[in-house]
Amino acid sequence: KPLFSFTKSRYNNHGLTNLKKNQFLYQTLTNYLRLSKSTGCNYYDYWFLYNYVRSNKPKEILECGTGASTLVLAHALMENIRDGYPAGRVTSMEDVEFWYQQAQKLIPDELKSYIDLICSPKVEYCHSIFRGIGYQEVPDREYQFAFIDGPETTAPSDKAATFDYDLINVVKRAKRPIFAVVDKRVTTCYVFQKVFGSSKVKFNPRCDLGFVGPVTKSDLKSKIGTGSFSHRFRLVGNTHLDFVLKRSSN
């Protein structure tokens, strides 16, 4: 744990150092963080999002969970246009009215044209054996990049802990590959490994980010059951299923 904490600190400092090189972005972000009560992301997250959009030029971005990251994504899109690339858009989903209203108030006017901010209730979805939580009203768009930092995954029906579902809905109807980043949500990454395959989903504990894809509909497993785990049975060592070999006394 101390080693991971040290490494996370280095990642955060790396992100901060790079963000400071872009004076306008850093000042805009600092102002937002000063006025906002949001503490979800760290500086490496912001730097990664900015750098990814500047490098890969996605035109349609889905953000699950509105906040300072919305500003960073929009700022990168604005700079892409200034460099002569086609216009892009961040579809930013939020289910908490407070965060939605705060973003409307704090995001600078020059960035609002790059953002479609949507307040939507969260609902439960199922895929095979997995139950997750997603937004009810995500627009059907040709997303190329997704940032998963919401919604909060407690199920409305029974308060059980689940996972963030929206990427599955998007991939089901997508016509092109999608790359996604998951912020700190280990359970979500675990489920994504089961439905997309471990080769398509990796979690980096040093920076607390999960990386998905690019994935398409062909990567989405529709049937997940005991057969998915049977090859992981072991008589010694770790296994995904605990079992007993001795005969029951009953």
Side-chain angles (χ1 to χ4, degrees):
K1 185 175 180 181
L3 176 60
F4 276 151
S5 298
F6 175 71
T7 307
K8 290 175 184 178
S9 177
R10 291 188 63 180
Y11 269 87
N12 194 52
N13 290 337
H14 174 74
L16 179 60
T17 299
N18 282 286
L19 286 169
K20 285 182 175 180
K21 294 176 182 178
N22 187 322
Q23 185 175 1
F24 182 51
L25 170 59
Y26 179 69
Q27 187 59 56
T28 305
L29 176 61
T30 299
N31 290 340
Y32 188 101
L33 293 173
R34 178 174 55 84
L35 296 171
S36 169
K37 296 180 180 179
S38 174
T39 58
C41 294
N42 60 42
Y43 285 114
Y44 182 78
D45 296 347
Y46 299 134
W47 164 246
F48 181 92
L49 294 174
Y50 170 79
N51 190 52
Y52 182 88
V53 174
R54 290 289 282 143
S55 300
N56 294 276
K57 312 294 190 300
K59 293 177 64 178
E60 290 286 358
I61 300 170
L62 174 64
E63 179 188 41
C64 296
T66 301
S69 54
T70 314
L71 178 152
V72 172
L73 292 166
H75 190 101
L77 290 175
M78 180 180 70
E79 290 189 7
N80 285 348
I81 292 176
R82 289 178 179 176
D83 289 346
Y85 293 95
R89 169 173 53 187
V90 181
T91 302
S92 185
M93 305 298 303
E94 182 54 61
D95 66 296
V96 179
E97 183 71 20
F98 175 83
W99 299 122
Y100 172 76
Q101 294 293 343
Q102 180 174 263
Q104 286 193 319
K105 177 181 177 181
L106 296 182
I107 290 176
D109 291 340
E110 63 267 23
L111 296 178
K112 288 182 178 179
S113 61
Y114 306 99
I115 304 168
D116 185 8
L117 190 59
I118 300 173
C119 190
S120 167
K122 65 180 185 180
V123 294
E124 297 181 29
Y125 296 98
C126 288
H127 179 78
S128 187
I129 63 174
F130 295 112
R131 175 174 58 141
I133 305 300
Y135 298 101
Q136 188 175 50
E137 299 166 6
V138 177
D140 185 2
R141 293 168 177 165
E142 287 297 316
Y143 302 109
Q144 298 156 281
F145 176 57
F147 178 52
I148 312 298
D149 192 27
E152 200 275 324
T153 57
T154 301
S157 62
D158 59 5
K159 309 305 179 185
T162 65
F163 75 101
D164 294 285
Y165 192 96
D166 288 291
L167 183 63
I168 294 177
N169 276 337
V170 169
V171 171
K172 282 180 178 179
R173 58 181 183 247
K175 298 178 182 178
R176 63 176 69 186
I178 300 171
F179 178 71
V181 173
V182 182
D183 187 36
K184 300 182 182 69
R185 294 163 184 257
V186 179
T187 301
T188 297
C189 289
Y190 175 82
V191 175
F192 285 170
Q193 282 190 342
K194 300 307 173 188
V195 299
F196 293 115
S198 296
S199 64
K200 293 286 186 176
V201 183
K202 302 296 181 183
F203 183 80
N204 187 339
R206 295 178 178 88
C207 59
D208 272 343
L209 292 178
F211 303 94
V212 184
V215 289
T216 64
K217 285 186 287 187
S218 63
D219 297 307
L220 190 60
K221 299 175 184 178
S222 58
K223 295 182 180 180
I224 304 170
T226 55
S228 300
F229 300 94
S230 60
H231 65 287
R232 295 180 173 86
F233 290 172
R234 300 182 180 93
L235 294 180
V236 295
N238 295 326
T239 177
H240 282 237
L241 180 67
D242 289 331
F243 60 98
V244 62
L245 294 178
K246 66 180 181 180
R247 181 179 298 176
S248 173
S249 59
N250 296 330

